Amino acid sequence: MEFSSRTHNLKPEGAYHMLALAGQLEAQGREIIHLEIGQPDFPTFEHIVEAGVRAIQDGYTRYTPAAGMPLLRQTIAQDASKRYNLEITPEQVVVGPGAKPALFFPTLALVNPGEAVIYPDPGFPTYPAMIEVAGGVAAPLPLLEEHRFWVEAIALEEQVRALERSGHKVRMLILNSPSNPTGSVIPKDVLQDIAQLATDYDFWVLSDEIYSRLTYETSAPSIVTLPGMQSRTIICDGFSKTYAMTGWRLGFGIMPPNLAEKVELLLTHAVGCTASFTQVAGVEALRGAQDQVHRCVEEYRRRRDRLIAGLNAIPGVRCLSPEGAFYAFPNIASFGRSSEWMAQYLLETCGVALLPGTAFGAHGEGYLRLCFANSMENLEKAVERIDQALRKLSAA
Ligand code: PLP
């Protein structure tokens, strides 16, 4: 069958592939520890569930405006104004079914065929997919462990120049801090250098901040707060990770009002609107008490500390401590096998499902990604099993 060229390079997300492989083993009776999928293991908080159920009973079952219910847009704008210490109006907020629409639709609205978009590698696999669907040139920016997986301004400027020399205007840069898959948080001084480049070379910044409330040592600064950046920044954020609401499908983007209008048109024609009762639950999530979010972060921190210490105690494994999100990204290059091979080996020999670093781009080679939004008991068992399997591999 013939398909359009814009779909030629689309691939499934690595996590779904691994989930399917793990499922096959489970069907044969194997017990698998699932560290491959990136979602909280906690249920959605009770007061949010109650608000959603009540909303259905109260008749919030009809279409809403495409950009979201006015009350939710207003609530998000108020919350963001406080968080960023900026004046953000409801007209700048666009609500969508999940955070992904706040990545995909601004990209479609801004990027012309042939224009370049620079994105982090390793990084979330939706980035190159959406750039290619928009007809843009997907330009991976390598993030290196020796630079704590931060975007390096010098390397970024070189890449911008090289792309422009080869005739590709750089239209947008994607940032993701805290990062999936590395958990790294970009510090403010690095963001300042990046903001300067965005101004000098006149490009947009799409800042994916979906993990910004899940940080451990420091909070994650946002590039939108830097002088002159509000008019060229799109923030992608949502409820999935912070409020354990992955299946509710609720996210939002914050952007200049004229871009928000275009994104609203794309939403109108692509999805119509976001589920109305889900939006009511979103208002409760932001306006209600935040103590459960803080408790989850504390629990993730305990699990992170145990997991990272366990991984670093395995001969041949080296792992930075993530400052945000809930992923460990250990370096396993010393075993001399590909990440893909290692992930498959660990699944088959010890029943631990995790992802190869290459599920996040070519520069993920030599790494694995483990999600620690899982019980302490499972994490300890997983480390023990990985330890044994890797010792066996080294001895072979
Ligand atoms: N951005 C990043 C970095 C993510 O890891 C994810 C989900 O895994 C998303 C965006 C998408 O979030 P949602 O499920 O709300 O669409």
Side-chain angles (χ1 to χ4, degrees):
M1 204 182 291
E2 284 283 306
F3 294 107
S4 71
S5 57
R6 73 177 70 83
T7 64
H8 282 177
N9 290 327
L10 288 181
K11 294 184 208 75
E13 264 188 49
Y16 294 104
H17 175 63
M18 195 51 78
L19 194 63
L21 290 180
Q24 285 167 13
L25 291 179
E26 279 170 328
Q28 294 162 18
R30 290 279 305 277
E31 185 236 346
I32 305 292
I33 302 177
H34 288 277
L35 306 184
E36 75 278 45
I37 286 278
Q39 66 179 334
D41 57 321
F42 302 108
T44 307
F45 310 147
E46 197 54 42
H47 64 108
I48 300 174
V49 172
E50 280 166 14
V53 170
R54 215 168 34 240
I56 296 177
Q57 288 164 341
D58 289 349
Y60 286 95
T61 52
R62 307 173 80 88
Y63 292 132
T64 75
M69 284 169 43
L71 179 62
L72 179 58
R73 293 176 81 191
Q74 189 195 352
T75 303
I76 292 168
Q78 279 167 352
D79 182 71
S81 300
K82 238 190 294 162
R83 273 163 53 79
Y84 300 118
N85 198 21
L86 289 173
E87 198 187 321
I88 291 169
T89 64
E91 292 69 39
Q92 290 170 257
V93 176
V94 182
V95 173
K100 280 181 177 174
L103 296 171
F104 228 101
F105 292 127
T107 303
L108 281 179
L110 288 174
V111 178
N112 285 303
E115 289 180 334
V117 179
I118 299 177
Y119 68 96
D121 178 355
F124 189 48
T126 290
Y127 305 146
M130 71 197 189
I131 299 164
E132 282 168 15
V133 169
V137 174
L141 177 67
L143 303 185
L144 306 177
E145 186 183 350
E146 51 265 41
H147 295 120
R148 299 182 64 182
F149 299 113
W150 296 339
V151 170
E152 274 178 280
I154 294 173
L156 174 61
E157 182 163 21
E158 273 169 19
Q159 193 176 17
V160 171
R161 287 195 178 163
L163 284 162
E164 303 218 337
R165 269 198 308 274
S166 63
H168 300 295
K169 160 82 192 119
V170 173
R171 183 66 162 152
M172 193 161 85
L173 164 72
I174 300 174
L175 297 179
N176 177 215
S177 173
S179 147
N180 175 10
T182 68
S184 77
V185 170
I186 306 177
K188 191 158 182 185
D189 58 329
V190 175
L191 290 178
Q192 273 159 343
D193 292 342
I194 298 170
Q196 190 60 51
L197 292 176
T199 310
D200 292 350
Y201 291 91
D202 189 23
F203 55 77
W204 284 82
V205 176
L206 174 47
S207 182
D208 182 345
E209 302 183 8
I210 188 144
Y211 296 102
S212 61
R213 291 170 181 82
L214 305 182
T215 58
Y216 306 111
E217 278 71 37
T218 55
S219 57
S222 172
I223 198 161
V224 78
T225 61
L226 300 178
M229 287 307 290
Q230 227 190 321
S231 60
R232 57 172 75 250
T233 301
I234 302 136
I235 296 168
C236 162
D237 201 345
F239 296 76
S240 297
K241 317 287 173 171
T242 314
Y243 299 101
M245 292 176 73
T246 48
W248 293 71
R249 308 312 299 139
L250 188 63
F252 57 90
I254 299 174
M255 61 202 82
N258 46 359
L259 175 58
E261 280 175 25
K262 272 285 180 229
V263 170
E264 179 174 13
L265 287 174
L266 288 166
L267 277 166
T268 302
H269 296 298
V271 299
C273 68
T274 305
S276 44
F277 44 89
T278 291
Q279 295 188 56
V280 175
V283 172
E284 172 61 26
L286 288 180
R287 293 200 167 174
Q290 302 296 306
D291 51 323
Q292 293 195 72
V293 176
H294 302 140
R295 277 208 292 279
C296 288
V297 171
E298 269 320 299
E299 182 55 27
Y300 292 144
R301 182 208 304 273
R302 263 176 15 96
R303 296 170 180 182
R304 175 200 66 167
D305 290 346
R306 193 74 67 87
L307 176 65
I308 301 301
L311 289 171
N312 279 317
I314 301 173
V317 177
R318 181 178 75 220
C319 191
L320 289 176
S321 183
E323 297 171 294
F326 36 52
Y327 306 110
F329 201 59
N331 183 322
I332 41 85
S334 70
F335 293 92
R337 310 275 188 160
S338 73
S339 299
E340 187 76 41
W341 188 94
M342 293 288 279
Q344 192 93 18
Y345 170 75
L346 291 172
L347 177 65
E348 282 165 8
T349 56
C350 66
V352 177
L354 37 71
L355 295 184
T358 43
F360 301 90
H363 287 89
E365 187 54 272
Y367 298 87
L368 297 172
R369 192 200 76 169
L370 293 74
C371 174
F372 56 82
N374 207 311
S375 71
M376 192 69 101
E377 190 192 341
N378 275 345
L379 293 173
E380 284 176 347
K381 217 175 346 167
V383 168
E384 217 178 283
R385 290 187 190 181
I386 294 170
D387 186 15
Q388 279 172 12
L390 293 184
R391 281 176 199 272
K392 222 188 295 166
L393 183 62
S394 301

